Each structure stands twice: as structure tokens, then as C-alpha cells.
Amino acid sequence: EDQVTQSPEALRLQEGESSSLNCSYTVSGLRGLFWYRQDPGKGPEFLFTLYSAGEEKEKERLKATLTKKESFLHITAPKPEDSATYLCAVQALGTDKLIFGTGTRLQVFP
Amino acid sequence: DTGVSQDPRHKITKRGQNVTFRCDPISEHNRLYWYRQTLGQGPEFLTYFQNEAQLEKSRLLSDRFSAERPKGSFSTLEIQRTEQGDSAMYLCASSLVSGRAYEQYFGPGTRLTVT
């Protein structure tokens, strides 16, 4: 069964303290791995798509990487406005549905 | 703003009542998706459409749930005889399938509370 596990469940960082979020996955055949950001009471906001092992994508303070079993979302010098829940999802070959993990709740305090 | 829109944003209903939600996708997108999210969980897939055709339905979509996309534009999700367990955020997303790109863009959601 296709599955996504994210860790840690929650992360508290001081402003400027870099860290990484983990997304481990099992999927029959990977079409793509997606990262989303979700603020409380809002819909998920698309961040990145990764398609194959070794691929990396960057956007401002965020960098996503992919291996055959996991993905990391690296946050460099975070700011309080980066506080949100970060969701990882996989999409298997032959289907459009996204299978999400439960997310990592990130808090960045000044 | 040309993002995905959902209506209503909040709905409170009594157990046993029927409710209907509407989703308007990004205009040029050909695929539309429905997900459900409960507190502390990631979104769970319900169903999706390619234009008017419903291509896939989750086992979560019981007989009380029905979704339509009659003209290949907006979509509706109806829940009949609501139960307290239906309380959740209902999310709609859309995508333009092109080459490898299957990114799904989400709307703000409809929060359903069943009392």
C-alpha cells in the first residue's frame, strides 16, 4: 500500500536556526513527490514537485531533495513567517490522487 | 484573483440534513479533485474529474456522497443524511495536466460542522 510518513510531527526553531523536515514514502511507482505549505484554516499551497531521485528544487529559504525512499525539505535561516504545517504527498503512476502524510508543524520564533 | 474558489467557506448543519458544496477551478485547468481533511491529518483523496468524466473514486466516498462536474467547469459535492463523522474541511483542487506536470492547486476549503 502506498504510504507517506513525515517527521518530526512538530518542530520549534529559533529565527535563523536551519533544519530539515523528513518525508519517507513507499509507492508502487513514483510519478511525483509534492511539498505543500498549509496555514491554519487555509488550503495547502503548492511549493515543489520532484520527479526522480537526485532531483533538487529551491525557493527562497526552502530546498527540497529526493532519494528513492525519502525526501527532505531543508529550511535555511527561517523567519517567523515560515511558521506553517508542511505537507508531503506522493502520486503513483496511473493515478492522479495525492497520498499525503500528516505533516510537520513548524514554529519559528524570534 | 484566478485561483480555485469554494463556496460556502463554512457550513453548520444538523445531523441528517443534506449539504452541497461548490468548487470553481482555475479556468484553464482540465482536472478537478476533491479531498477531505480532518484536524491533525493530511488531506484524503475523495474523487477526481477529467472535464465531465469522473475518473476515480475513493472507498471513502460512501453512497451518501456524490460529486458532479456537469459542464466540465465547476463541480459540486453533495453529502446526504450527514453524520457527525462528516465534520471536516472539504478541499477542492485543480490541475492542468501537461507533460510531467501534475501539480494540484488547492482552494481555501469548506469547513463542515455537523451538530
Side-chain angles (χ1 to χ4, degrees), chain A residues 2 27-32 90-99:
Chain A
D2 300 337
V27 65
S28 49
L30 183 68
R31 170 181 275 169
V90 295
Q91 189 177 62
L93 293 171
T95 177
D96 267 29
K97 72 179 179 184
L98 296 177
I99 298 170

Side-chain angles (χ1 to χ4, degrees), chain A residues 31 34 36 38 41-44 46 49 51 87 91 95-98 100-102, chain B residues 31 33 35 37 41-43 45 48 56 89 91 100-104 106-108:
Chain A
R31 170 181 275 169
F34 302 81
Y36 286 85
Q38 187 172 30
K42 297 188 176 181
F46 171 75
T49 309
Y51 295 104
L87 295 165
Q91 189 177 62
T95 177
D96 267 29
K97 72 179 179 184
L98 296 177
F100 283 87
T102 53
Chain B
R31 293 196 179 179
Y33 312 82
Y35 291 82
Q37 186 176 26
Q41 301 297 312
F45 171 79
Y48 83 93
E56 188 173 349
M89 175 79 89
L91 294 163
R100 292 178 86 182
Y102 283 80
E103 292 90 7
Q104 296 178 20
F106 284 82

Side-chain angles (χ1 to χ4, degrees), chain B residues 38-78:
Chain B
T38 54
L39 199 61
Q41 301 297 312
E44 291 179 296
F45 171 79
L46 294 177
T47 189
Y48 83 93
F49 294 84
Q50 161 91 12
N51 301 318
E52 303 90 351
Q54 189 171 22
L55 295 187
E56 188 173 349
K57 291 197 304 184
S58 165
R59 290 169 294 176
L60 292 174
L61 212 66
S62 76
D63 292 345
R64 297 185 298 107
F65 288 70
S66 64
E68 293 183 345
R69 195 182 181 198
K71 297 182 179 179
S73 55
F74 72 92
S75 176
T76 58
L77 177 68
E78 181 184 16

Side-chain angles (χ1 to χ4, degrees), chain B residues 24-39:
Chain B
D24 286 89
I26 295 170
S27 58
E28 63 269 25
H29 284 187
N30 53 2
R31 293 196 179 179
L32 186 148
Y33 312 82
W34 286 98
Y35 291 82
R36 180 173 68 185
Q37 186 176 26
T38 54
L39 199 61

